Amino acid sequence: MTDTLTYYNKNAATFAAGTVDVDFAQIQDLFLEYLPEGGKILDFGCGSGRDTAYFLRKGYEVDATDGSPELCEIASEYTGITVRQMLFEELDEREVYDGIWACASILHVEKAKLPDILKRMAKAVKENGTIYVSFKYGDFEGMKDGRYFTYLTEERFGELVKEIPELRIEKLWVSGDVRAGRGEEMWLNMILGKDDVGYCKIV
């Protein structure tokens, strides 16, 4: 993870400029359909702050975090809220959020460590809470373009979620990259719901 954070700190301005204006409304709005109006969202690995700004404009309360101090500074300026510098494994809130949005963020976590991160996310959402996550589609795991990636397929994510009985898959789909010139790059998207009975069993 250290190399990945170094990459984002060094390339924060370029990365933010390349993602901040991407139209992601279709998936953002789908996620919001699962949330109560004006609910509280955690943008978990917010990058440029694009999605945080969108949710704020829609009237939601948003906490935003990122592991890169440089991106936190850029996103804070862009969104008008203070973006907190935090690593994924430092999430320790309990039943605070109506939804957690992790768009192209926890894909930088090693596959072996993903169950712990997902369990932390499950604890942080309220009863009947909703989580959105996305991963590059495929079987690759390792360093690429200066960052660590875990790619997932439907089958590989299914294996992961079996380890987390408090989560259920509400919706799963594969989509093309919405950035210009990258439409052939595929993404695995999941909307997860919190199973209250399963959650209570493990607390």
Side-chain angles (χ1 to χ4, degrees):
M1 195 66 180
T2 302
D3 290 338
T4 301
L5 289 175
T6 297
Y7 172 91
Y8 281 115
N9 283 327
K10 287 183 177 179
N11 298 281
T14 301
F15 174 79
T19 57
V20 71
D21 293 324
V22 172
D23 183 357
F24 213 66
Q26 184 176 357
I27 295 178
Q28 291 163 333
D29 290 341
L30 178 62
F31 169 70
L32 294 179
E33 288 178 8
Y34 289 83
L35 272 57
E37 186 173 348
K40 187 168 185 175
I41 297 171
L42 171 63
D43 190 350
F44 196 40
C46 70
S48 66
R50 174 197 66 203
D51 303 323
T52 290
Y54 186 86
F55 298 143
L56 288 169
R57 289 196 299 269
K58 290 284 186 174
Y60 290 82
E61 181 182 354
V62 186
D63 285 348
T65 67
D66 201 276
S68 162
E70 297 296 328
L71 280 174
C72 286
E73 184 175 340
I74 291 171
S76 294
E77 183 175 350
Y78 180 71
T79 62
I81 68 171
T82 300
V83 174
R84 180 162 49 114
Q85 194 275 326
M86 185 182 79
L87 302 178
F88 297 129
E89 60 267 27
E90 293 174 333
L91 178 65
D92 62 359
E93 280 85 357
R94 193 180 187 88
E95 297 189 354
V96 171
Y97 301 103
D98 296 291
I100 296 180
W101 175 265
C103 179
S105 60
I106 65 170
L107 86 173
H108 292 306
V109 175
E110 296 173 25
K111 185 184 176 187
K113 296 180 180 179
L114 278 172
D116 174 66
I117 302 303
L118 289 166
K119 286 176 184 177
R120 290 175 179 275
M121 294 167 74
K123 287 182 180 180
V125 291
K126 300 175 184 177
E127 291 184 3
N128 302 312
T130 299
I131 296 170
Y132 168 78
V133 295
S134 62
F135 294 82
K136 288 177 181 287
Y137 188 85
D139 293 317
F140 175 80
E141 182 177 2
M143 294 297 296
K144 188 174 183 179
D145 300 326
R147 293 164 287 176
Y148 193 94
F149 286 98
T150 294
Y151 288 35
L152 291 179
T153 61
E154 298 93 332
E155 294 77 15
R156 291 185 80 198
F157 188 77
E159 293 169 1
L160 280 176
V161 84
K162 283 179 183 177
E163 301 181 42
I164 311 162
E166 61 269 38
L167 293 180
R168 64 184 181 277
I169 299 174
E170 293 280 1
K171 186 176 178 65
L172 181 151
W173 72 101
V174 178
S175 62
D177 200 302
V178 295
R179 290 170 291 181
R182 299 179 69 165
E184 294 183 0
E185 188 172 326
M186 305 308 292
W187 288 80
L188 182 68
N189 305 267
M190 280 83 59
I191 289 180
L192 310 173
K194 180 171 163 182
D195 184 336
D196 301 329
V197 175
Y199 179 69
C200 291
K201 285 180 180 177
I202 68 163
V203 171

